[in-house]
Amino acid sequence: MDQVLFVIGAQPVTLAQLVAGAGALAFLLLVAVLRAVSRSARQNAAEADEQARRADELEMRLVELARTQAETVGRVQSMAEVLAHRQGELARAVAERLDASSHRMGESLARASEATHENLARLNDRLAIVDQARASLGELSGQVMSLRETLSNKQARGAFGEGRLQAIIADALPRDSFAFQHTLGNGKRADCAIFLPGDRRPLLVDSKFPLEAITAFREAQTPEARKPAEARLKGDVGRHVKDIAERYLISGETQDVALMFVPSESVYGELHEHFDDIIQQAFRARVILVSPSLLMLAVQVVQSICKDARMREQADLIRAECGKLVADVVRLRERVGNLQRHFGQMNEDVAQALTSADKIAKRGERIEQLEFEADGPTGDAGPRDAGFAELLPTPPLSTSSLRGAAE
């Protein structure tokens, strides 16, 4: 056993040492194996515990999941019931609204049908009116053509202007303040003579006007054609103004001015716009051009003058009526004074009645004070005082009540 088997470094190794080393090595291996087995067992146990714990958690989760699934199924069922109920209500509401909408739509269609029928009836009436207006326009166009043909004739045009002048004058002035076709001292006849109050000289109006010249001037399109038309218009109007001044302005017999009636507002505006020298020439010749509106204004002025003249003629009658009115006012003043005196006497009588009432009230108060003085210390009145108290009025009258009765 002590035999040296080999030498490691400087240390010899014997058989006993080798056997002891092998045993120690085996023991160490066994310990290591046991430790490894123990460690593996502990790991397996830990893993088993972890798996058991995980299984428990999984089971709990499955239970929770089942409970949640059951709750979810219940909620889904209740939600399905609620949805079914809501769906029924929605279907009923939709049906009711559809019925109401159908009813309203039917009513609206009925009203629209009635309105359309009424509109068509009114449209038919208006179309009938339009047809009548078209027929009237046709008649009017015929009348305008007839009027144009009439105005193309000089004598007919003069009759038209004279007729319009007579209509304006006759509608506004009294019958005794104008005359048509008035004959002057020189044998000439004026279309119209207007007599002013307090003046025997008439204001003469001529209704003729050279319309051909103004028509030619309007129809001229070029400056070359307008110049001869303008010269013709100035010449015709100037000659007519001269004729009026020579025939109708007679010193001492007629007024100092005469009127030339232009029966068209447009013609009058054309003259004032383009031919101011003609207007000035007529004014210097004491002939005034007037349109229908200006003639109406002049006639209204004459009408006011006539009214003032009639008022001056009735001045004496007005003065007498004013005198009677003043006398009535004086009598009214006297009667009001008498009424005032009556009211004063009445106020005095009321004041006297109030004075008497005050005296009666004061006496009643004195009697009332005398009754209070008759009471004894115990509040019992004697026989004499009691008999006197029976004679007093109950309750006594006060001053305010007496004044109210007097008023």
Side-chain angles (χ1 to χ4, degrees):
M1 295 295 293
D2 296 330
Q3 184 180 354
V4 178
L5 296 177
F6 51 86
V7 178
I8 298 175
Q11 182 68 30
V13 178
T14 65
L15 179 63
Q17 292 177 345
L18 180 63
V19 171
L25 181 61
F27 180 75
L28 291 174
L29 289 174
L30 180 61
V31 171
V33 170
L34 290 176
R35 286 184 177 180
V37 170
S38 176
R39 187 181 300 110
S40 176
R42 285 197 300 270
Q43 289 180 355
N44 291 332
E47 290 179 357
D49 293 337
E50 182 69 22
Q51 290 179 357
R53 185 178 61 80
R54 290 182 179 179
D56 293 337
E57 289 180 358
L58 181 60
E59 185 178 0
M60 292 176 62
R61 288 182 181 180
L62 288 176
V63 171
E64 183 71 20
L65 181 61
R67 185 177 60 81
T68 304
Q69 185 177 3
E71 292 179 356
T72 304
V73 170
R75 290 179 182 179
V76 168
Q77 290 178 354
S78 62
M79 187 178 297
E81 294 176 357
V82 171
L83 287 176
H85 180 67
R86 296 282 180 87
Q87 186 176 4
E89 292 181 351
L90 179 61
R92 185 172 59 256
V94 169
E96 292 177 355
R97 292 192 177 182
L98 284 176
D99 293 337
S101 299
S102 300
H103 181 67
R104 287 196 299 270
M105 186 176 295
E107 292 181 351
S108 299
L109 289 175
R111 288 195 298 269
S113 178
E114 293 178 358
T116 304
H117 181 69
E118 293 177 358
N119 291 329
L120 288 176
R122 286 197 295 268
L123 181 60
N124 291 329
D125 295 338
R126 291 181 179 178
L127 287 175
I129 294 173
V130 169
D131 292 337
Q132 294 178 0
R134 184 175 59 184
S136 300
L137 285 175
E139 294 178 359
L140 181 61
S141 62
Q143 293 176 2
V144 169
M145 293 299 297
S146 177
L147 179 61
R148 183 175 180 181
E149 294 175 357
T150 301
L151 293 179
S152 62
N153 188 0
K154 186 175 182 179
Q155 288 78 13
R157 186 172 64 249
F160 171 75
E162 185 176 353
R164 192 169 185 186
L165 171 65
Q166 292 178 2
I168 294 173
I169 297 297
D171 289 341
L173 293 179
R175 187 64 188 86
D176 56 349
S177 61
F178 65 90
F180 298 118
Q181 301 300 322
H182 180 69
T183 304
L184 302 176
N186 57 4
K188 304 295 183 180
R189 283 191 177 184
D191 294 331
C192 179
I194 300 175
F195 302 100
L196 301 177
D199 194 349
R200 300 180 61 84
R201 299 178 303 167
L203 176 64
L204 303 181
V205 184
D206 185 83
S207 62
K208 302 177 184 63
F209 184 80
L211 186 61
E212 294 87 353
I214 192 68
T215 303
F217 177 76
R218 286 180 173 179
E219 293 178 353
Q221 300 295 330
T222 60
E224 291 78 9
R226 187 178 293 269
K227 288 183 179 179
E230 182 177 353
R232 178 185 176 185
L233 178 61
K234 291 181 179 180
D236 291 348
V237 176
R239 284 192 298 271
H240 191 59
V241 168
K242 184 177 180 182
D243 292 341
I244 293 174
E246 290 178 354
R247 290 188 293 179
Y248 295 161
L249 296 180
I250 302 174
S251 178
E253 184 179 354
T254 63
Q255 294 290 333
D256 296 335
V257 295
L259 302 180
M260 185 173 72
F261 178 62
V262 181
S264 175
E265 296 286 348
S266 61
V267 173
Y268 183 79
E270 194 83 23
L271 291 175
H272 267 274
E273 183 179 359
H274 299 286
F275 301 98
D276 185 67
D277 52 347
I278 296 178
I279 303 298
Q280 297 298 329
Q281 178 184 354
F283 182 76
R284 288 192 296 270
R286 295 179 299 172
V287 177
I288 301 175
L289 278 70
V290 292
S291 64
S293 58
L294 291 178
L295 181 62
M296 290 180 185
L297 180 61
V299 167
Q300 290 178 1
V301 173
V302 174
Q303 187 178 11
S304 301
I305 293 174
C306 294
K307 185 183 294 185
D308 292 339
R310 286 196 298 271
M311 289 182 65
R312 285 195 300 271
E313 291 176 357
Q314 301 295 328
D316 295 335
L317 180 59
I318 295 173
R319 189 180 297 109
E321 292 295 331
C322 290
K324 293 179 182 179
L325 182 62
V326 171
D328 291 338
V329 172
V330 171
R331 283 195 298 272
L332 179 62
R333 177 69 179 82
E334 292 176 356
R335 292 173 182 176
V336 171
N338 294 333
L339 184 61
Q340 185 179 7
R341 286 194 295 273
H342 290 314
F343 276 117
Q345 185 66 33
M346 186 183 296
N347 291 329
E348 185 177 356
D349 294 339
V350 171
Q352 293 177 0
L354 289 175
T355 303
S356 300
D358 291 338
K359 291 181 179 179
I360 294 172
K362 289 179 180 178
R363 290 184 181 181
E365 291 176 356
R366 287 199 297 269
I367 292 172
E368 185 179 2
Q369 293 174 2
L370 180 61
E371 180 185 4
F372 288 152
E373 291 175 357
D375 294 337
T378 60
D380 296 330
R384 181 181 177 184
D385 294 337
F388 184 73
E390 291 178 356
L391 298 176
L392 295 176
T394 305
L397 296 175
S398 61
T399 307
S400 59
S401 62
L402 289 174
R403 288 182 179 178
E407 292 177 356

